[in-house]
Amino acid sequence: MNDTLAGWLQALALMAALTLSHRPLGDHIARCLTTSRHLRPERVVYRAGGVNPDADQTWAAYLRGVLAFSLVSMLFLYGFQRLQDHLLLSLDMKPVPADLAFDTAASFVTNTNWQSYSGESTMGHLVQMAGLAVQNFVSAAVGIAVVAALIRGFTRERTSQVGNFWADLTRIVLRVLLPIAFVFAIALLAAGVVQNLHGVQAVTTIAGDHQSITGGPVASQEAIKELGTNGGGFYNANSAHPFENPTAFTDLLEIYLLLVISCSLPRTFGTMVGDRRQGYAVLAVMGVIWVASVAAVTANELHSVSSSAGHAAGGMMEGKEQRFGVWASALFAASTTLTSCGAVNSFHDSYTPGGGGLLIFNMMLGEIAPGGTGSGLYGILVLAIFAVFMAGLMVGRTPEFLGKKIRSREMKFASLYILATPVIVLIGAGVAMALPGERAAMANPGPHGFSEVLYAFTSAANNNGSAFAGLRADTVWYNTALGLTMLFGRFLPMVFVLALAGTLAGQRPVPVTAGTLPTHRPLFVGLLTGVILVVVGLTFFPALALGPLAEGLHR
Amino acid sequence: MTTSPAPRQPRRVSGGLLDPRQLVASFPDAVRKLDPRLMVRNPVMFVVGVGAALTTLSALKNPGVFPWVITAWLWLTVVFANLAEAVAEGRGKAQAETLRRARTGTTARRLPSWRPGTAAPPEEEVPAASLRPGDHVVVEAGQIIPGDGDVVEGVASVDESTITGESAPVIRESGGDRSAVTGGTKVLSDRIVVKITSKPGETFIDRMIALVEGAARQKTPNEIALNILLASLTVVFLVAVATLQPFAVYAGAEQSIVVLVALVVALIPTTIGALLSAIGIAGMDRLVQRNVLAMSGRAVEAAGDVNTLLLDKTGTITLGNRQAARFLPVGGVGADELADAAQLSSLADETPEGRSIVVLAKQRHALRARTEGELAHTTFVPFTARTRMSGVDVDGRRIRKGAAAAVGAWVTEAGGTVGEDVREAAERISQSGGTPLVVAVRDADGARVLGLVHLKDVVKEGIRERFEELRAMGIRTVMITGDNPLTARAIAEEAGVDDFLAEATPEDKMALIKREQAGGKLVAMTGDGTNDAPALAQADVGVAMNTGTSAAKEAGNMVDLDSNPTKLIEIVEIGKQLLITRGALTTFSIANDVAKYFAIIPAMFAAVHPGLDKLNIMRLHSPTSAITSAIVFNALIIVVLIPLALRGVRYRPTSAAALLGRNIWIYGLGGVVLPFLGIKLIDLAVQYVPGLH
């Protein structure tokens, strides 16, 4: 089988699998978020936490729950890393330095999983399992909980309540993430991913060299790393490492896992608002952008190669694993940058300027196609509100989306949401570029060096976590700056989303008439796609022009 | 049958043309509006103003052709924005002037001790401005009414042309729904006593002046929401350009203040920012041109959102009056005999129904209308609410016509019988939406029913199509009528309304409005009577007829000076058009940025990254000419679009999906393509300016 055929088959198999699973999974999540039944383990959790799962919260209380939970998680994770030498299974790792521990704590609590460290040489097994992996579950669940609140904003009327955060969080972890992660951890294990509690083993290679190889509970971590769009690898090489991602099959499985929840949530949305077509429209926008991006990245990696070695290899093979090739690498790279996952099976820094630029652009879109678990859907819904506002005016009515009017209050929160992340990215990158010392951390001169910095801040602010790894980011300045970028990039938008949910829930819905802008038709899908591309394109065009465009365009 | 006046063809919303002289005349106002205290109300243009100030300083420090050209065009951008607003306001000013003249210098004849029935109360002369609500004044032929109020005594014809522009006088009388008079209008005949209802300075004319001048203008909810969007886009672009400088320094292409400001101004949505308030003022103005006064911009916007229109049957859906359509003789009576009797009984009947019977008798049965004089021994019996009949006694024959029950009773009273066929015929007429009038006679042969007259409501021509358009727009129409449900249903079907409310009382109306609103719908209605006032106040858009009572005018949020209830439909269209214009120009404004990037980014960086010259797809002459062309285009497009902002974009009642598709193509795609052409054309000229090559 040649590469092209294999590439097509992989992409089609992936889309088929996602199509098959999005209905049952989406409906399952919808049931979890709407049922009034509590399972026994959930009751135990509620009793232990002292919460009443049936008491709905206002958006502000819900937000306090999100923030308090995340703060405690962060303090816990920070302490864990600082004290790891006193814990079991530490593999004799030293305490993590304060700045790196802050950066890592922020990174895992915000579902970013930016890693300024090498997992195998920094973290002991217990930190990996009880610290980082736990955050992989709960940070993903927090994202889904927030979008649940937003959806309730659309479905509820004349109330200030948007659901119970603690109940949402518990249910998503126990009913959605744990079972799926468990099943797929077994599948990955069966397909060759390692799972043990070994420490560092010294081996002698065939060539007679000595190598230290760290084993660990990899398969269990790998499943939730992808499923929760976290992306933080057990090993520094992430999914390019043969212990994390040994074969083309596990590779495809991992891509499927990192897409599956975000691709199913539109169905959850459609089911919960009682109009599945609305969910399909959102999914269509995600799908159009994803397909276009995968195609563009693949085409760039195959054809925009300037070196003769690249031509000989049939595409840009620098930084890509031989066992995956260009097609599977591009598929993984486009998917991981469009989902805020940030796991990588190839080295994005080595992509062609066009391909690398597209990966940055993917993240700049705000992680919405299909985006992170929960965050992807709430991101695209806020953009839909933006699009509805302009389109609604053009049909001569006060704009409304799913029966809720988009008035100045709604516009305020939607605008702030859309404003927040780009401003954080640009200011972060701007400050880094203005400081000569921090600029020196880049590995390459010229536009590519700038792209590395731009990538870092784009990745952190959008909670992606992948890197243009040329940047030496484990410095006090970058750890602090990127840590703050991740925190603001995660929680500021959440504040605005929940505030939006609150004001939407308080409204009385407007009945749908022929004068209502239909938001489930191809026209709206096209409009929303256009609005996303134009708004993001306009915001970042100057920066992209000085990075990837300057590098890739030649006279 | 009379030929009814041809109903006015449905008028599409359109606006006046822009006279270039208006632009010139408004220029001084535009410059006056450069006051920073006024500018700060418009965040987008305020940023342009600050930018222009920055480039001015920069140009003073490092003079040159390019900095000065950019500076000049940035200032022009701000002035053009002010010009748009000034032109929009200027249109109302002339009208305000006329109104002011009506207001000044009136004196009033106050009656301090007036009580109902006082024959000749003492009066005193006071300035109109000193009148307080509750004062009574007397106004006689030739005098100006000194303030708003209700007629409490007398009847008079009043010339209201100062406010309505309509020269035909109107009748104002005490009691009933035609009692309101407006200060500044002139009594043409007779004498009336008016009870003042407005405080000085808050009269109808005062409010009108404030409205047409735009002095009372406040930002409407949708305008605020749009401003938030524009402000946030402005912030994003400010940050994008501010952070561009460190990137540029690293790339070795540090940019001057002038270029950075030019980039910001090119990117922020100046087109819609400049035209936004003009669009709002022009929307109000379009209403004023149709003789509708909206008390707030909020009401105009709400009109665009209306889901349900409550329309009074009479005058809106049907021509004012019922007309005789057919004579139905019963029990062997000849049609001519019935027509003759009906005509006789209607000779003195001056109601439109009565006259239509005479006309029908003449047309169908060639019966000439006899004058009262040619009939001897004739006594006409007028209609009273108690008898519910009218008729004539002539030569010993007593003819009566009226409601079936009343006339039936009159016949049986005199020993006659009313056959089943009469009841059936009456029922049939009612079911078809008509009103049966029974004609009976008492003469030598005894009392008997001669037959029936079928009175019919005449549905206005073209109204059905109008309702179909409304339905396509997603608006439900509900007909309000005092008729019984049978009649109402028939007319509703004929006119094509979606629903009807029969035997409607003011309470029913109110309940209907509340029910619709509880379902999240916005309701619009018209009304004139005092008992309409609560419903007018409850409705989201309440249009009071100018002929109505002060209470109704006070309660509604619009007043129709023509008192034409059909205008409600136009008001809805104007509301929609206002929002569409805003949306279309916002889309256009944002879409324009694409071309500007392709002009400015290569101009800024092609020197250090020659590959970026590939983005210069317009092949603009030089970096300075490219940036200048983008800025000139950005300024000129404002002026080019002023007429569109004032007139509103073309609006055709159709479904939301169709409207959206059309507007995206024109203003979205057009907004992307047009500036490429415009900037290229300007560049072709600008490249010859010395110092810009």
Side-chain angles (χ1 to χ4, degrees):
Chain A
M1 187 156 43
N2 68 21
D3 286 354
T4 311
L5 180 61
W8 276 106
L9 286 178
Q10 283 189 16
L12 293 175
L14 181 61
M15 285 193 270
L18 289 169
T19 311
L20 281 178
S21 58
H22 94 278
R23 283 165 154 235
L25 180 55
D27 289 346
H28 173 65
I29 299 175
R31 270 195 304 277
C32 292
L33 295 174
T34 47
T35 181
S36 54
R37 223 163 53 86
H38 305 296
L39 304 181
R40 185 164 304 147
E42 290 168 359
R43 289 221 181 84
V44 174
V45 173
Y46 300 142
R47 214 167 302 133
V51 296
N52 174 6
D54 297 313
D56 269 3
Q57 297 168 311
T58 62
W59 75 266
Y62 202 98
L63 175 65
R64 280 197 296 276
V66 169
L67 295 180
F69 179 75
S70 301
L71 181 67
V72 169
S73 298
M74 203 172 148
L75 291 174
F76 179 74
L77 204 50
Y78 179 82
F80 221 146
Q81 295 176 72
R82 301 285 288 150
L83 300 173
Q84 71 160 329
D85 50 334
H86 301 295
L87 302 170
L88 292 172
L89 294 171
S90 70
L91 310 179
D92 297 328
M93 300 284 182
K94 282 189 275 299
V96 181
D99 58 310
L100 180 59
F102 164 75
D103 182 74
T104 307
S107 170
F108 278 76
V109 168
T110 57
N111 196 245
T112 311
N113 298 26
W114 171 271
Q115 294 168 296
S116 292
Y117 61 91
S118 295
E120 61 268 44
S121 60
T122 314
M123 303 294 176
H125 287 342
L126 194 67
V127 176
Q128 293 264 26
M129 287 190 298
L132 303 181
V134 168
Q135 284 310 311
N136 280 354
F137 278 96
V138 292
S139 68
V142 167
I144 302 177
V146 170
V147 81
L150 179 61
I151 297 174
R152 292 191 191 110
F154 285 110
T155 57
R156 295 186 176 183
E157 44 188 277
R158 306 177 89 183
T159 171
S160 55
Q161 327 251 278
V162 294
N164 184 301
F165 170 67
W166 307 107
D168 287 343
L169 181 72
T170 312
R171 286 173 179 184
I172 294 160
V173 171
L174 292 182
R175 298 191 197 186
V176 181
L177 298 177
L178 266 176
I180 302 178
F182 183 80
V183 169
F184 279 89
I186 303 285
L188 286 169
L189 190 62
V193 178
V194 303
Q195 177 81 4
N196 56 49
L197 290 176
H198 296 166
V200 183
Q201 290 175 302
V203 292
T204 310
T205 62
I206 298 167
D209 294 333
H210 292 285
Q211 216 177 342
S212 333
I213 293 179
T214 313
V218 179
S220 56
Q221 208 141 318
E222 198 65 18
I224 188 62
K225 169 190 125 185
E226 315 294 356
L227 182 68
T229 64
N230 296 286
F234 192 90
Y235 297 103
N236 187 37
N238 209 300
S239 287
H241 195 292
F243 284 3
E244 286 198 22
N245 190 6
T247 64
F249 173 70
T250 55
D251 187 63
L252 194 59
L253 205 59
E254 291 186 9
I255 303 177
Y256 168 77
L257 273 180
L258 67 89
L259 290 167
V260 68
I261 288 189
S262 299
C263 284
S264 305
L265 281 172
R267 169 80 176 189
T268 308
F269 165 68
T271 304
M272 281 174 76
V273 301
D275 183 358
R276 295 230 162 99
R277 300 170 308 174
Q278 304 289 348
Y280 291 135
V282 168
L283 187 61
V285 176
M286 293 173 165
V288 166
I289 295 176
W290 181 82
V291 167
S293 180
V294 168
V297 173
T298 308
N300 259 290
E301 295 312 293
L302 284 176
H303 304 300
S304 305
V305 187
S306 45
S307 68
S308 52
H311 287 297
M316 188 64 166
M317 277 306 291
E318 182 193 318
K320 295 188 180 70
E321 283 290 302
Q322 200 61 50
R323 65 184 186 280
F324 303 135
V326 170
W327 285 78
S329 298
L331 184 63
F332 199 118
S335 301
T336 198
T337 47
L338 280 169
T339 48
S340 95
C341 178
V344 291
N345 75 347
S346 52
F347 209 49
H348 293 179
D349 197 25
S350 300
Y351 272 54
T352 59
L358 280 163
L359 298 182
I360 302 181
F361 187 74
N362 280 348
M363 295 187 292
M364 288 171 169
L365 289 174
E367 305 297 13
I368 40 88
T373 48
S375 61
L377 183 59
Y378 66 64
I380 207 165
L381 288 178
V382 173
L383 282 160
I385 287 177
F386 212 69
V388 157
F389 184 78
M390 301 208 344
L393 285 182
M394 281 195 283
V395 304
R397 302 252 307 223
T398 298
E400 63 207 43
F401 185 37
L402 300 171
K404 296 298 175 90
K405 289 202 168 175
I406 311 303
R407 304 160 308 184
S408 51
R409 216 175 137 70
E410 288 76 21
M411 236 12 234
K412 186 168 74 191
F413 296 126
S415 294
L416 284 170
Y417 178 96
I418 289 168
L419 207 64
T421 318
V423 166
I424 295 168
V425 171
L426 287 169
I427 289 182
V431 172
M433 293 306 290
L435 299 172
E438 317 317 331
R439 229 156 56 191
M442 50 182 82
N444 301 65
H448 195 79
F450 169 61
S451 295
E452 289 170 357
V453 173
L454 185 64
Y455 194 109
F457 281 95
T458 308
S459 172
N462 287 290
N463 303 135
N464 183 281
S466 67
F468 245 26
L471 190 71
R472 280 195 314 280
D474 188 14
T475 66
V476 174
W477 192 86
Y478 271 111
N479 277 334
T480 313
L482 291 173
L484 291 174
T485 302
M486 289 184 272
L487 290 173
F488 284 124
R490 173 73 162 179
F491 294 110
L492 272 183
M494 278 189 176
V495 172
F496 303 135
V497 167
L498 288 174
L500 189 60
T503 117
L504 289 173
Q507 280 193 39
R508 188 164 53 192
V510 182
V512 172
T513 68
T516 310
L517 171 82
T519 50
H520 58 269
R521 301 240 183 102
L523 184 65
F524 186 75
V525 170
L527 178 79
L528 179 52
T529 311
V531 165
I532 293 169
L533 295 178
V534 167
V535 168
V536 174
L538 291 178
T539 310
F540 290 108
F541 189 78
L544 288 171
L546 288 175
L549 286 177
E551 189 188 349
L553 292 174
H554 298 285
R555 206 187 249 289
Chain B
M1 241 178 112
T2 48
T3 46
S4 55
R8 208 156 44 102
Q9 276 303 301
R11 188 161 44 147
R12 283 285 143 263
V13 178
S14 65
L17 291 169
L18 180 72
D19 187 345
R21 272 172 305 181
Q22 259 179 305
L23 284 178
V24 180
S26 302
F27 202 80
D29 275 335
V31 176
R32 219 167 294 133
K33 281 171 185 280
L34 286 173
D35 184 340
R37 282 165 301 178
L38 297 176
M39 295 274 303
V40 78
R41 287 164 52 185
N42 182 338
V44 179
M45 295 321 292
F46 185 72
V47 169
V48 181
V50 171
L54 280 176
T55 59
T56 310
L57 290 178
S58 170
L60 284 171
K61 228 160 61 184
N62 307 308
V65 176
F66 174 66
W68 279 119
V69 168
I70 294 292
T71 302
W73 279 96
L74 291 184
W75 282 118
L76 276 177
T77 309
V78 183
V79 171
F80 288 161
N82 292 343
L83 191 63
E85 195 180 75
V87 169
E89 285 172 353
R91 303 178 131 203
K93 286 224 167 89
Q95 202 168 358
E97 237 4 84
T98 341
L99 289 170
R100 262 206 197 92
R101 255 179 269 126
R103 192 181 54 172
T104 46
T106 332
T107 54
R109 293 161 61 194
R110 187 162 64 178
L111 310 173
S113 58
W114 184 87
R115 292 283 172 278
T118 324
E123 61 177 73
E124 57 187 19
E125 190 124 321
V126 295
S130 68
L131 291 174
R132 291 283 173 275
D135 283 352
H136 291 92
V137 293
V138 61
V139 194
E140 282 180 314
Q143 293 177 334
I144 304 282
I145 299 173
D148 299 352
D150 286 314
V151 179
V152 289
E153 184 183 300
V155 52
S157 61
V158 179
D159 173 9
E160 294 195 337
S161 60
T162 40
I163 54 167
T164 63
E166 175 64 53
S167 55
V170 293
I171 302 295
R172 291 286 177 262
E173 58 190 334
S174 64
D177 290 341
R178 288 169 176 265
S179 62
V181 288
T182 310
T185 57
K186 191 174 178 184
V187 173
L188 292 179
S189 70
D190 306 288
R191 168 187 182 276
I192 47 175
V193 174
V194 175
K195 181 181 178 189
I196 299 293
T197 54
S198 63
K199 288 188 197 136
E202 291 174 24
T203 63
F204 190 66
I205 286 208
D206 289 317
R207 279 194 287 168
M208 254 184 99
I209 291 171
L211 278 171
V212 295
E213 278 193 327
R217 214 179 99 73
Q218 286 182 323
K219 284 204 181 111
T220 58
N222 175 263
E223 232 177 322
I224 294 171
L226 183 53
N227 254 318
I228 290 172
L229 181 140
L230 298 181
S232 61
L233 285 174
T234 306
V235 171
V236 165
F237 288 130
L238 271 175
V239 172
V241 174
T243 54
L244 184 58
Q245 183 72 327
F247 306 162
V249 171
Y250 168 74
E254 187 172 352
Q255 299 296 315
S256 69
I257 285 285
V258 175
V259 171
L260 290 176
V261 169
L263 181 58
V264 168
V265 172
L267 293 181
I268 62 176
T270 47
T271 314
I272 180 66
L275 297 172
L276 188 56
S277 78
I279 294 170
I281 298 169
M284 298 281 270
D285 189 54
R286 276 199 293 284
L287 280 177
V288 172
Q289 283 169 20
R290 279 161 189 73
N291 263 347
V292 176
L293 287 186
M295 294 304 159
S296 69
R298 188 183 284 261
V300 185
E301 262 172 24
D305 286 348
V306 159
N307 305 93
T308 308
L309 281 186
L310 304 191
L311 298 168
D312 277 325
K313 183 199 77 177
T314 308
T316 311
I317 295 168
T318 61
L319 295 173
N321 317 297
R322 285 173 294 203
Q323 299 191 334
R326 209 151 51 105
F327 294 117
L328 283 172
V330 291
V333 177
D336 285 343
E337 187 186 351
L338 170 63
D340 181 64
Q343 188 228 38
L344 273 176
S345 67
S346 306
L347 283 177
D349 185 352
E350 281 303 317
T351 63
E353 288 87 351
R355 263 175 284 155
S356 76
I357 291 174
V358 177
V359 169
L360 185 69
K362 183 174 170 186
Q363 284 176 344
R364 294 276 174 82
H365 302 277
L367 291 175
R368 192 174 51 81
R370 287 152 285 196
T371 55
E372 292 177 32
E374 59 187 284
L375 297 166
H377 319 295
T378 311
T379 325
F380 289 102
V381 181
F383 177 87
T384 68
R386 200 179 52 78
T387 61
R388 295 170 64 209
M389 294 185 295
S390 64
V392 64
D393 296 343
V394 54
D395 294 333
R397 285 175 81 206
R398 302 173 66 195
I399 307 173
R400 293 291 180 273
K401 70 166 201 295
V407 177
W410 181 75
V411 170
T412 41
E413 211 173 84
T417 51
V418 179
E420 199 51 43
D421 51 346
V422 174
R423 251 186 290 279
E424 272 169 20
E427 188 70 12
R428 264 202 312 283
I429 292 173
S430 293
Q431 268 169 12
S432 73
T435 308
L437 276 186
V438 177
V439 182
V441 67
R442 283 186 193 169
D443 58 12
D445 302 335
R448 64 194 186 280
V449 174
L450 295 176
L452 297 92
V453 182
H454 183 165
L455 291 181
K456 215 175 149 181
D457 260 317
V458 184
V459 171
K460 280 186 177 174
E461 213 178 301
I463 201 84
R464 203 185 165 87
E465 290 71 36
R466 215 77 207 276
F467 291 148
E468 266 157 28
E469 286 176 3
L470 286 171
R471 204 165 301 123
M473 288 154 65
I475 296 173
R476 219 165 70 88
T477 43
V478 180
M479 181 180 84
I480 307 288
T481 172
D483 293 341
N484 63 54
L486 275 181
T487 314
R489 177 181 302 281
I491 297 170
E493 270 165 20
E494 190 180 345
V497 293
D498 298 300
D499 202 354
F500 62 90
L501 182 65
E503 289 171 350
T505 62
E507 292 76 36
D508 293 342
K509 244 195 229 187
M510 189 74 176
L512 176 65
I513 293 173
K514 284 191 172 154
R515 206 161 54 239
E516 294 280 316
Q517 287 174 335
K521 292 179 178 163
L522 261 60
V523 182
M525 69 168 284
T526 57
D528 51 6
T530 301
N531 51 22
D532 283 335
L536 278 172
Q538 178 72 31
D540 301 282
V541 177
V543 183
M545 301 291 106
N546 191 45
T547 51
T549 58
S550 312
K553 281 156 87 172
E554 203 61 49
N557 46 17
M558 293 192 196
V559 175
D560 179 15
L561 301 175
D562 295 341
S563 305
N564 169 11
T566 317
K567 214 180 269 174
L568 198 49
I569 300 172
E570 277 177 56
I571 293 173
V572 169
E573 291 186 359
I574 289 173
K576 285 196 177 294
Q577 196 191 26
L578 177 72
L579 292 177
I580 294 175
T581 308
R582 274 187 203 144
L585 290 183
T586 306
T587 308
F588 182 83
S589 193
I590 295 171
N592 271 346
D593 282 359
V594 176
K596 293 173 192 162
Y597 264 139
F598 279 93
I600 298 182
I601 292 294
M604 288 168 87
F605 299 118
V608 288
H609 296 304
L612 290 181
D613 194 49
K614 273 193 181 158
L615 296 178
N616 181 9
I617 51 177
M618 287 173 270
R619 305 315 314 160
L620 302 178
H621 182 71
S622 69
T624 45
S625 80
I627 296 172
T628 309
S629 303
I631 290 298
V632 171
F633 175 83
N634 192 50
L636 287 183
I637 196 72
I638 296 173
V639 183
V640 171
L641 290 176
I642 289 177
L644 185 69
L646 296 186
R647 194 181 64 226
V649 303
R650 210 164 67 93
Y651 173 65
R652 191 182 266 287
T654 170
S655 74
L659 265 177
L660 178 65
R662 179 177 175 274
N663 288 326
I664 287 181
W665 282 115
I666 297 181
Y667 297 97
L669 202 64
V672 173
V673 175
L674 182 74
F676 278 102
L677 303 174
I679 291 174
K680 178 66 186 169
L681 281 176
I682 295 170
D683 184 72
L684 288 176
V686 160
Q687 58 181 289
Y688 296 109
V689 175
L692 280 187
H693 45 74

